[in-house]
Amino acid sequence: MRNLGHHLASPWRRSAVAAVAGALPVLAFPAPNLWWIAYVALVPWLLLIRTAPTGRRAVFDGWWGGFGFMLVMHHWLLPSLHVFTFVLAALLGALWAPWGWLVRRTLGGSPSGRRVAAALLVVPSGWLTIELIRSWQGLGGPWGVLGASQWRVEAALRLASVGGVWLPSFLVIALNVAVAVLVAERRARVPAVAGLV
């Protein structure tokens, strides 16, 4: 574990890990369609951000993770946009920079039960804000909204009939937050388990 912390001390290595962790949720979308992975795909990224030594580093972890997510989500643009696909991913990835700060603020250190309860609402809300901004037609429309990865899950479709794609997105992210807390902070089990329920 100490060796891992040593490797993550390098800003470039940490950025690479954030980009890979940010790309993981794409596995839940059609081809490869591992819809169930959405429930834990954000956990590595959340765990990385919460250990950021500073708020500024958390902002970069959010940005690099957003870059990885957008790059892999838009991989199909590579043949036509070439290098500009990376530019697009970097620009859209910047939307996750404040989210990184938010994750560290709510989950960093040893969060109290109250902070974890707040994180279960605030972190998914922050992600939804990003999805709403990205859904603007000028930014490409609602491509890669996390709740859409659950299109084959009947319970998610019922939720979507009430709250659109946004409600499944919110709940998937809240579940990831709860799992991340259970993995990282055993003292805050009660709000984390409540979040899972």
Side-chain angles (χ1 to χ4, degrees):
M1 198 67 161
R2 186 182 298 159
N3 198 20
L4 178 64
H6 174 70
H7 286 300
L8 292 180
S10 161
W12 290 108
R13 285 186 182 144
R14 190 174 179 98
S15 297
V17 170
V20 170
L24 289 177
V26 177
L27 295 172
F29 289 88
N33 199 29
L34 304 173
W35 59 268
W36 50 269
I37 206 167
Y39 304 131
V40 294
L42 292 174
V43 171
W45 192 9
L46 291 166
L47 293 176
L48 177 73
I49 293 172
R50 76 176 290 276
T51 63
T54 65
R56 180 183 166 128
R57 184 63 244 183
V59 165
F60 281 112
D61 290 347
W63 190 349
W64 277 102
F67 168 78
F69 181 67
M70 288 289 91
L71 182 64
V72 177
M73 183 60 70
H74 293 98
H75 71 278
W76 53 276
L77 292 172
L78 275 167
S80 56
L81 290 183
H82 308 291
V83 73
F84 294 108
T85 308
F86 293 89
V87 174
L88 176 70
L91 291 173
L92 291 175
L95 293 170
W96 277 271
W99 184 77
W101 180 87
L102 187 66
V103 169
R104 182 181 183 271
R105 181 79 176 98
T106 56
L107 295 176
S110 293
S112 64
R114 183 174 286 170
R115 261 179 49 201
V116 170
L120 288 166
L121 294 173
V122 173
V123 172
S125 297
W127 185 285
L128 282 184
T129 302
I130 296 164
E131 289 192 345
L132 285 169
I133 292 168
R134 282 195 316 109
S135 295
W136 179 52
Q137 219 46 42
L139 292 176
W143 180 262
V145 176
L146 199 54
S149 68
Q150 304 303 297
W151 66 282
R152 295 181 119 181
V153 181
E154 192 174 328
L157 294 176
R158 286 190 190 131
L159 290 171
S161 71
V162 175
V165 71
W166 316 113
L167 187 54
S169 278
F170 184 92
L171 293 175
V172 164
I173 296 152
L175 185 64
N176 275 273
V177 171
V179 171
V181 169
L182 285 175
V183 168
E185 199 58 47
R186 289 187 166 51
R187 290 182 332 148
R189 282 185 188 165
V190 173
V193 170
L196 285 173
V197 172

